[in-house]
Amino acid sequence: MNILLLGSGGRESAFAWKIAQSNKCSKLFIAPGNAGTGQYGTNIDVKVNDFEGIKQVVLANSINMVLVGPEEPLVKGIHDFFLADEQLRNVPVIGPQREGAQLEGSKDFSKQFMVRHNIPAAASRTFTRDTMQEGFDYLPTIGLPIVLKADGLAAGKGVLICLTVQEAQQELIEMLTEAKFGEASSKVVVEQFLQGIELSVFVLSDGNNYKVLPSAKDYKRIGEGDTGLNTGGMGSVSPVPFASDEFLQKVEQRVIIPTIEGLKQEGIPYKGFIFIGLMNCDGDPYMIEYNCRMGDPETESVLMRLESDLVDLLQGVAEGNLDERELKISDKVAATVVMVAGGYPGEYLKNKTITGIENVRGSQVFHAGTYMDGDDIKTSGGRVLAITSLQDNMFNALQQATADASRIYYDGMYFRKDIGFDLL
Ligand code: AMP
């Protein structure tokens, strides 16, 4: 099979690494990829939202399957684009069509979906410019802090946690009337704050059957001890020690099954990954959000523990017989430490030469914001590398990944040295 993978982050590096191990994959192409994905396949300089460009790549390279890494092309309808095209119709796309991608593309849609299918979630209401006064009336009724969410995609920045009603009022005004997050905040979901510990569970579905992939916890804040600004993700661990079998049973019964059944009942086709962001509130799962793709940097830790052939599983998704495919997960623990550029998540340094990758001993180095400049590997993005280690226990995995990160150097290099240590 010739496979095209769309994306250029650490998640896609991990996908490329795993796909390249499969003897079902003849040729792997990554568009646009990064300096690391080039080790596992051929990078092609086409952007993930350039559907016409992607079509040309698919036709020129006799692609038999497309795996979509990031959410944007899914929300923009890349799967629908394939289905509507005479020449692409029979090339399976792993990732939902536009309607299913609304689980991530619209927080209002996803909240209403949860309500319709009795999936436990924080109480909430959605407001627009026209109903802002009703929003002001609602704010004092849901307790503090108050969570405001821009309805649409906002590159991970559209969620605000307000400590007072006045602050929430001010933010609501800015979101609805001053387009604080552009078009994404023309609708705002106002939501009760959930107290608990966060984790993510990943599901792969062919629209009828599903497989539950390993759970993971990610670390979003830039600073050690979970302080400072939010980022795209500074590290992850899998499995999550506080997600007991009993808790995961509840997740399956209360969240996963109603989600898959709900999609079916509503006639929403869904072939792809579902990221379920949860809060563990005193042993009970509550939904925070859906994503219509895998998370980054959770994918790096999750795929490290996947012993089965990923391409076989994806083929099961494409053919609608995922129930006949084997899912085997390692009992070991995977930890990922993300190395970022100086200044990130603000204005950050670029074009710095990376050295020392060859000194890494017990981890896999997944590239994110990197590119090749002649023989040099240079930084291009905020998140530069993800260092993932698989070991017999969590302490060793964390220690190894952290030690290996410190063997790599570039000007301004930074990573958190405390990823996962709160879980020990
Ligand atoms: P989201 O984009 O919905 O994942 O929200 C981003 C982050 O905001 C989440 O990862 C949580 O840490 C936090 N968050 C979102 N909704 C809630 C909530 N209802 N209660 C507490 N924290 C929340």
Side-chain angles (χ1 to χ4, degrees):
M1 213 192 280
N2 293 340
I3 299 175
L4 173 63
L5 167 64
L6 300 182
S8 60
R11 167 183 51 215
E12 286 75 24
S13 289
F15 271 135
W17 166 79
K18 190 70 191 167
I19 289 170
Q21 291 167 22
S22 170
N23 55 24
K24 292 190 168 202
C25 176
S26 331
K27 283 191 197 157
L28 172 64
F29 299 87
I30 309 100
N34 58 40
T37 56
Q39 301 166 58
Y40 312 117
T42 308
N43 287 343
I44 298 188
D45 192 16
V46 171
K47 301 243 164 25
V48 296
N49 294 319
D50 175 4
F51 295 178
E52 281 298 335
I54 290 166
K55 173 177 175 176
Q56 298 316 317
V57 174
V58 168
L59 298 179
N61 297 288
S62 310
I63 297 295
N64 307 107
M65 180 189 283
V66 179
L67 170 58
V68 185
E71 63 279 13
E72 221 187 320
L74 293 168
V75 173
K76 289 190 166 147
I78 189 161
H79 195 151
D80 314 65
F81 173 84
F82 270 62
L83 291 174
D85 189 294
E86 204 68 8
Q87 291 169 289
L88 300 179
R89 189 164 295 157
N90 295 322
V91 180
V93 176
I94 310 298
Q97 287 155 248
R98 196 186 276 119
E99 207 181 356
Q102 285 298 296
L103 283 183
E104 176 166 4
S106 165
K107 303 256 187 212
D108 180 44
F109 174 90
S110 74
K111 290 295 298 198
Q112 289 188 28
F113 180 88
M114 292 171 207
V115 171
R116 281 199 295 279
H117 300 287
N118 286 318
I119 297 169
S124 77
R125 281 183 60 189
T126 301
F127 301 98
T128 61
R129 213 178 165 135
D130 293 340
T131 58
M132 195 161 68
Q133 188 55 50
E134 289 169 44
F136 292 160
D137 296 340
Y138 183 63
L139 291 175
T141 68
I142 55 166
L144 293 172
I146 298 167
V147 184
L148 301 186
K149 300 183 170 183
D151 175 58
L153 291 185
K157 295 194 176 72
V159 175
L160 300 174
I161 298 184
C162 304
L163 299 179
T164 64
V165 172
Q166 289 72 17
E167 185 189 345
Q169 254 188 19
Q170 188 53 40
E171 293 290 0
L172 191 59
I173 293 171
E174 286 181 25
M175 287 169 94
L176 289 175
T177 65
E178 295 163 26
K180 179 164 184 159
F181 300 105
E183 182 54 29
S185 65
S186 59
K187 266 191 199 171
V188 174
V189 175
V190 177
E191 186 172 293
Q192 213 168 33
F193 184 81
L194 295 168
Q195 200 80 48
I197 319 180
E198 237 177 298
L199 74 155
S200 312
V201 175
F202 301 92
V203 177
L204 181 60
S205 177
D206 63 9
N208 195 31
N209 310 289
Y210 67 88
K211 300 266 189 214
V212 184
L213 303 173
S215 60
K217 178 170 167 54
D218 79 335
Y219 291 79
K220 285 255 180 283
R221 302 295 194 92
I222 186 75
E224 286 172 7
D226 287 329
T227 54
L229 294 174
N230 256 325
T231 70
M234 296 298 292
S236 67
V237 293
S238 175
V240 184
F242 59 81
S244 61
D245 286 347
E246 190 195 346
F247 179 79
L248 291 173
Q249 276 294 328
K250 289 183 192 173
V251 174
E252 186 159 4
Q253 291 304 321
R254 298 180 193 175
V255 178
I256 297 175
I257 294 174
T259 299
I260 303 291
E261 290 305 315
L263 288 166
K264 268 200 269 185
Q265 269 171 31
E266 296 189 21
I268 300 176
Y270 201 108
K271 284 179 179 288
F273 293 96
I274 310 176
F275 168 124
I276 294 175
L278 292 169
M279 198 69 92
N280 177 345
C281 303
D282 289 329
D284 287 315
Y286 283 82
M287 277 300 292
I288 296 178
E289 62 163 348
Y290 289 109
N291 290 333
C292 60
R293 36 82 196 176
M294 287 293 284
D296 190 357
E298 294 97 324
T299 305
E300 291 88 317
S301 292
V302 168
L303 289 186
M304 199 64 138
R305 294 184 56 220
L306 177 65
E307 290 180 347
S308 326
D309 180 343
L310 176 63
V311 177
D312 182 59
L313 288 165
L314 298 180
Q315 213 172 20
V317 172
E319 293 173 9
N321 55 19
L322 186 57
D323 53 329
E324 295 164 20
R325 312 289 167 146
E326 184 203 41
L327 177 71
K328 204 157 167 254
I329 303 296
S330 162
D331 290 333
K332 291 185 179 182
V333 177
T336 298
V337 171
V338 173
M339 303 182 65
V340 302
Y344 178 81
E347 192 75 18
Y348 55 81
L349 299 174
K350 288 184 189 158
N351 307 315
K352 301 297 176 192
T353 302
I354 303 171
T355 55
I357 291 179
E358 68 284 2
N359 298 329
V360 167
R361 294 176 195 162
S363 306
Q364 192 66 39
V365 177
F366 294 120
H367 289 236
T370 66
Y371 69 99
M372 293 303 299
D373 182 14
D375 288 338
D376 288 343
I377 302 172
K378 292 201 168 163
T379 71
S380 59
R383 289 190 292 167
V384 176
L385 298 167
I387 315 300
T388 304
S389 193
L390 184 71
Q391 302 292 337
D392 287 336
N393 62 54
M394 184 166 291
F395 182 79
N396 289 345
L398 293 167
Q399 213 181 31
Q400 187 69 51
T402 309
D404 278 329
S406 57
R407 295 190 166 98
I408 298 173
Y409 181 80
Y410 49 88
D411 286 346
M413 174 275 271
Y414 170 74
F415 62 89
R416 275 180 60 171
K417 296 174 192 70
D418 68 332
I419 297 299
F421 282 91
D422 58 318
L423 300 174
L424 290 173

